[in-house]
mmCIF file with all atom_site columns, all heavy atoms in Angstrom:
data_model
loop_
_atom_site.group_PDB
_atom_site.id
_atom_site.type_symbol
_atom_site.label_atom_id
_atom_site.label_alt_id
_atom_site.label_comp_id
_atom_site.label_asym_id
_atom_site.label_entity_id
_atom_site.label_seq_id
_atom_site.pdbx_PDB_ins_code
_atom_site.Cartn_x
_atom_site.Cartn_y
_atom_site.Cartn_z
_atom_site.occupancy
_atom_site.B_iso_or_equiv
_atom_site.pdbx_formal_charge
_atom_site.auth_seq_id
_atom_site.auth_comp_id
_atom_site.auth_asym_id
_atom_site.auth_atom_id
_atom_site.pdbx_PDB_model_num
ATOM 1   N N   . PRO A 1 12 ? 61.229 -199.359 103.494 1.00 87.00 ? 225 PRO A N   1
ATOM 2   C CA  . PRO A 1 12 ? 62.425 -199.333 102.646 1.00 87.00 ? 225 PRO A CA  1
ATOM 3   C C   . PRO A 1 12 ? 62.873 -197.902 102.356 1.00 87.00 ? 225 PRO A C   1
ATOM 4   O O   . PRO A 1 12 ? 62.069 -196.971 102.346 1.00 87.00 ? 225 PRO A O   1
ATOM 5   C CB  . PRO A 1 12 ? 61.964 -200.018 101.354 1.00 87.00 ? 225 PRO A CB  1
ATOM 6   C CG  . PRO A 1 12 ? 60.753 -200.795 101.724 1.00 87.00 ? 225 PRO A CG  1
ATOM 7   C CD  . PRO A 1 12 ? 60.115 -200.053 102.857 1.00 87.00 ? 225 PRO A CD  1
ATOM 8   N N   . PRO A 1 20 ? 53.635 -195.412 97.996  1.00 91.00 ? 233 PRO A N   1
ATOM 9   C CA  . PRO A 1 20 ? 53.016 -194.707 96.871  1.00 91.00 ? 233 PRO A CA  1
ATOM 10  C C   . PRO A 1 20 ? 51.544 -195.074 96.743  1.00 91.00 ? 233 PRO A C   1
ATOM 11  O O   . PRO A 1 20 ? 51.164 -196.232 96.930  1.00 91.00 ? 233 PRO A O   1
ATOM 12  C CB  . PRO A 1 20 ? 53.795 -195.204 95.655  1.00 91.00 ? 233 PRO A CB  1
ATOM 13  C CG  . PRO A 1 20 ? 55.070 -195.752 96.203  1.00 91.00 ? 233 PRO A CG  1
ATOM 14  C CD  . PRO A 1 20 ? 54.754 -196.239 97.581  1.00 91.00 ? 233 PRO A CD  1
ATOM 15  N N   . PRO A 1 23 ? 47.559 -192.184 100.277 1.00 96.00 ? 236 PRO A N   1
ATOM 16  C CA  . PRO A 1 23 ? 47.549 -190.844 100.879 1.00 96.00 ? 236 PRO A CA  1
ATOM 17  C C   . PRO A 1 23 ? 47.162 -190.827 102.356 1.00 96.00 ? 236 PRO A C   1
ATOM 18  O O   . PRO A 1 23 ? 47.686 -190.008 103.112 1.00 96.00 ? 236 PRO A O   1
ATOM 19  C CB  . PRO A 1 23 ? 46.558 -190.057 100.025 1.00 96.00 ? 236 PRO A CB  1
ATOM 20  C CG  . PRO A 1 23 ? 45.719 -191.084 99.340  1.00 96.00 ? 236 PRO A CG  1
ATOM 21  C CD  . PRO A 1 23 ? 46.592 -192.297 99.193  1.00 96.00 ? 236 PRO A CD  1
ATOM 22  N N   . LYS A 1 28 ? 49.111 -189.759 107.779 1.00 95.00 ? 241 LYS A N   1
ATOM 23  C CA  . LYS A 1 28 ? 49.332 -190.229 109.153 1.00 95.00 ? 241 LYS A CA  1
ATOM 24  C C   . LYS A 1 28 ? 50.788 -190.053 109.548 1.00 95.00 ? 241 LYS A C   1
ATOM 25  O O   . LYS A 1 28 ? 51.092 -189.570 110.650 1.00 95.00 ? 241 LYS A O   1
ATOM 26  C CB  . LYS A 1 28 ? 48.917 -191.701 109.274 1.00 95.00 ? 241 LYS A CB  1
ATOM 27  C CG  . LYS A 1 28 ? 49.117 -192.270 110.654 1.00 95.00 ? 241 LYS A CG  1
ATOM 28  C CD  . LYS A 1 28 ? 48.629 -193.703 110.737 1.00 95.00 ? 241 LYS A CD  1
ATOM 29  C CE  . LYS A 1 28 ? 48.804 -194.229 112.158 1.00 95.00 ? 241 LYS A CE  1
ATOM 30  N NZ  . LYS A 1 28 ? 48.184 -195.517 112.354 1.00 95.00 ? 241 LYS A NZ  1
ATOM 31  N N   . ARG A 1 47 ? 60.999 -191.420 118.001 1.00 91.00 ? 260 ARG A N   1
ATOM 32  C CA  . ARG A 1 47 ? 59.759 -192.166 118.196 1.00 91.00 ? 260 ARG A CA  1
ATOM 33  C C   . ARG A 1 47 ? 59.519 -193.020 116.956 1.00 91.00 ? 260 ARG A C   1
ATOM 34  O O   . ARG A 1 47 ? 59.735 -192.575 115.843 1.00 91.00 ? 260 ARG A O   1
ATOM 35  C CB  . ARG A 1 47 ? 58.595 -191.184 118.404 1.00 91.00 ? 260 ARG A CB  1
ATOM 36  C CG  . ARG A 1 47 ? 57.296 -191.921 118.718 1.00 91.00 ? 260 ARG A CG  1
ATOM 37  C CD  . ARG A 1 47 ? 56.178 -190.964 119.025 1.00 91.00 ? 260 ARG A CD  1
ATOM 38  N NE  . ARG A 1 47 ? 56.538 -190.115 120.163 1.00 91.00 ? 260 ARG A NE  1
ATOM 39  C CZ  . ARG A 1 47 ? 56.005 -188.920 120.370 1.00 91.00 ? 260 ARG A CZ  1
ATOM 40  N NH1 . ARG A 1 47 ? 55.128 -188.425 119.544 1.00 91.00 ? 260 ARG A NH1 1
ATOM 41  N NH2 . ARG A 1 47 ? 56.358 -188.210 121.426 1.00 91.00 ? 260 ARG A NH2 1
ATOM 42  N N   . LEU A 1 51 ? 53.625 -198.706 112.111 1.00 91.00 ? 264 LEU A N   1
ATOM 43  C CA  . LEU A 1 51 ? 53.223 -199.121 110.769 1.00 91.00 ? 264 LEU A CA  1
ATOM 44  C C   . LEU A 1 51 ? 54.210 -200.169 110.297 1.00 91.00 ? 264 LEU A C   1
ATOM 45  O O   . LEU A 1 51 ? 55.362 -200.176 110.716 1.00 91.00 ? 264 LEU A O   1
ATOM 46  C CB  . LEU A 1 51 ? 53.260 -197.930 109.791 1.00 91.00 ? 264 LEU A CB  1
ATOM 47  C CG  . LEU A 1 51 ? 52.228 -196.829 109.991 1.00 91.00 ? 264 LEU A CG  1
ATOM 48  C CD1 . LEU A 1 51 ? 52.522 -195.658 109.059 1.00 91.00 ? 264 LEU A CD1 1
ATOM 49  C CD2 . LEU A 1 51 ? 50.826 -197.351 109.751 1.00 91.00 ? 264 LEU A CD2 1
ATOM 50  N N   . ASP A 1 73 ? 87.827 -193.100 85.294  1.00 86.00 ? 286 ASP A N   1
ATOM 51  C CA  . ASP A 1 73 ? 87.988 -191.653 85.151  1.00 86.00 ? 286 ASP A CA  1
ATOM 52  C C   . ASP A 1 73 ? 87.140 -191.099 84.006  1.00 86.00 ? 286 ASP A C   1
ATOM 53  O O   . ASP A 1 73 ? 86.663 -189.977 84.068  1.00 86.00 ? 286 ASP A O   1
ATOM 54  C CB  . ASP A 1 73 ? 89.455 -191.294 84.915  1.00 86.00 ? 286 ASP A CB  1
ATOM 55  C CG  . ASP A 1 73 ? 90.306 -191.546 86.160  1.00 86.00 ? 286 ASP A CG  1
ATOM 56  O OD1 . ASP A 1 73 ? 89.744 -191.488 87.275  1.00 86.00 ? 286 ASP A OD1 1
ATOM 57  O OD2 . ASP A 1 73 ? 91.503 -191.790 86.003  1.00 86.00 ? 286 ASP A OD2 1
ATOM 58  N N   . GLN A 1 76 ? 80.841 -192.342 81.936  1.00 84.00 ? 289 GLN A N   1
ATOM 59  C CA  . GLN A 1 76 ? 80.118 -193.513 81.455  1.00 84.00 ? 289 GLN A CA  1
ATOM 60  C C   . GLN A 1 76 ? 78.678 -193.095 81.187  1.00 84.00 ? 289 GLN A C   1
ATOM 61  O O   . GLN A 1 76 ? 78.074 -192.408 82.008  1.00 84.00 ? 289 GLN A O   1
ATOM 62  C CB  . GLN A 1 76 ? 80.151 -194.634 82.494  1.00 84.00 ? 289 GLN A CB  1
ATOM 63  C CG  . GLN A 1 76 ? 81.551 -195.045 82.904  1.00 84.00 ? 289 GLN A CG  1
ATOM 64  C CD  . GLN A 1 76 ? 82.338 -195.624 81.751  1.00 84.00 ? 289 GLN A CD  1
ATOM 65  O OE1 . GLN A 1 76 ? 81.938 -196.628 81.176  1.00 84.00 ? 289 GLN A OE1 1
ATOM 66  N NE2 . GLN A 1 76 ? 83.436 -194.989 81.396  1.00 84.00 ? 289 GLN A NE2 1
ATOM 67  N N   . GLU A 1 78 ? 74.664 -194.217 79.982  1.00 85.00 ? 291 GLU A N   1
ATOM 68  C CA  . GLU A 1 78 ? 73.737 -195.340 79.862  1.00 85.00 ? 291 GLU A CA  1
ATOM 69  C C   . GLU A 1 78 ? 73.325 -195.552 78.411  1.00 85.00 ? 291 GLU A C   1
ATOM 70  O O   . GLU A 1 78 ? 73.205 -196.667 77.946  1.00 85.00 ? 291 GLU A O   1
ATOM 71  C CB  . GLU A 1 78 ? 72.501 -195.078 80.724  1.00 85.00 ? 291 GLU A CB  1
ATOM 72  C CG  . GLU A 1 78 ? 71.548 -196.246 80.778  1.00 85.00 ? 291 GLU A CG  1
ATOM 73  C CD  . GLU A 1 78 ? 70.405 -195.996 81.741  1.00 85.00 ? 291 GLU A CD  1
ATOM 74  O OE1 . GLU A 1 78 ? 70.477 -195.063 82.558  1.00 85.00 ? 291 GLU A OE1 1
ATOM 75  O OE2 . GLU A 1 78 ? 69.436 -196.759 81.669  1.00 85.00 ? 291 GLU A OE2 1
ATOM 76  N N   . ARG A 1 79 ? 73.104 -194.460 77.692  1.00 89.00 ? 292 ARG A N   1
ATOM 77  C CA  . ARG A 1 79 ? 72.671 -194.540 76.289  1.00 89.00 ? 292 ARG A CA  1
ATOM 78  C C   . ARG A 1 79 ? 73.596 -193.697 75.423  1.00 89.00 ? 292 ARG A C   1
ATOM 79  O O   . ARG A 1 79 ? 74.167 -192.707 75.872  1.00 89.00 ? 292 ARG A O   1
ATOM 80  C CB  . ARG A 1 79 ? 71.243 -194.021 76.159  1.00 89.00 ? 292 ARG A CB  1
ATOM 81  C CG  . ARG A 1 79 ? 70.228 -194.798 76.995  1.00 89.00 ? 292 ARG A CG  1
ATOM 82  C CD  . ARG A 1 79 ? 68.855 -194.197 76.842  1.00 89.00 ? 292 ARG A CD  1
ATOM 83  N NE  . ARG A 1 79 ? 68.889 -192.786 77.187  1.00 89.00 ? 292 ARG A NE  1
ATOM 84  C CZ  . ARG A 1 79 ? 68.192 -192.216 78.155  1.00 89.00 ? 292 ARG A CZ  1
ATOM 85  N NH1 . ARG A 1 79 ? 67.379 -192.936 78.879  1.00 89.00 ? 292 ARG A NH1 1
ATOM 86  N NH2 . ARG A 1 79 ? 68.290 -190.930 78.409  1.00 89.00 ? 292 ARG A NH2 1
ATOM 87  N N   . LEU A 1 84 ? 76.037 -188.300 73.259  1.00 90.00 ? 297 LEU A N   1
ATOM 88  C CA  . LEU A 1 84 ? 75.940 -187.271 72.222  1.00 90.00 ? 297 LEU A CA  1
ATOM 89  C C   . LEU A 1 84 ? 75.443 -185.941 72.790  1.00 90.00 ? 297 LEU A C   1
ATOM 90  O O   . LEU A 1 84 ? 75.941 -184.878 72.412  1.00 90.00 ? 297 LEU A O   1
ATOM 91  C CB  . LEU A 1 84 ? 75.023 -187.743 71.090  1.00 90.00 ? 297 LEU A CB  1
ATOM 92  C CG  . LEU A 1 84 ? 75.549 -188.916 70.266  1.00 90.00 ? 297 LEU A CG  1
ATOM 93  C CD1 . LEU A 1 84 ? 74.488 -189.417 69.290  1.00 90.00 ? 297 LEU A CD1 1
ATOM 94  C CD2 . LEU A 1 84 ? 76.820 -188.509 69.512  1.00 90.00 ? 297 LEU A CD2 1
ATOM 95  N N   . GLU A 1 87 ? 78.343 -184.277 74.550  1.00 83.00 ? 300 GLU A N   1
ATOM 96  C CA  . GLU A 1 87 ? 79.369 -183.753 73.629  1.00 83.00 ? 300 GLU A CA  1
ATOM 97  C C   . GLU A 1 87 ? 78.835 -182.522 72.943  1.00 83.00 ? 300 GLU A C   1
ATOM 98  O O   . GLU A 1 87 ? 79.430 -181.562 72.684  1.00 83.00 ? 300 GLU A O   1
ATOM 99  C CB  . GLU A 1 87 ? 79.763 -184.813 72.620  1.00 83.00 ? 300 GLU A CB  1
ATOM 100 C CG  . GLU A 1 87 ? 80.487 -185.982 73.275  1.00 83.00 ? 300 GLU A CG  1
ATOM 101 C CD  . GLU A 1 87 ? 80.731 -187.150 72.325  1.00 83.00 ? 300 GLU A CD  1
ATOM 102 O OE1 . GLU A 1 87 ? 80.193 -187.145 71.210  1.00 83.00 ? 300 GLU A OE1 1
ATOM 103 O OE2 . GLU A 1 87 ? 81.444 -188.067 72.728  1.00 83.00 ? 300 GLU A OE2 1
#
Side-chain angles (χ1 to χ4, degrees):
K241 180 177 182 172
R260 184 176 301 156
L264 291 173
D286 291 333
Q289 303 297 300
E291 186 175 346
R292 300 178 304 240
L297 293 173
E300 293 172 351

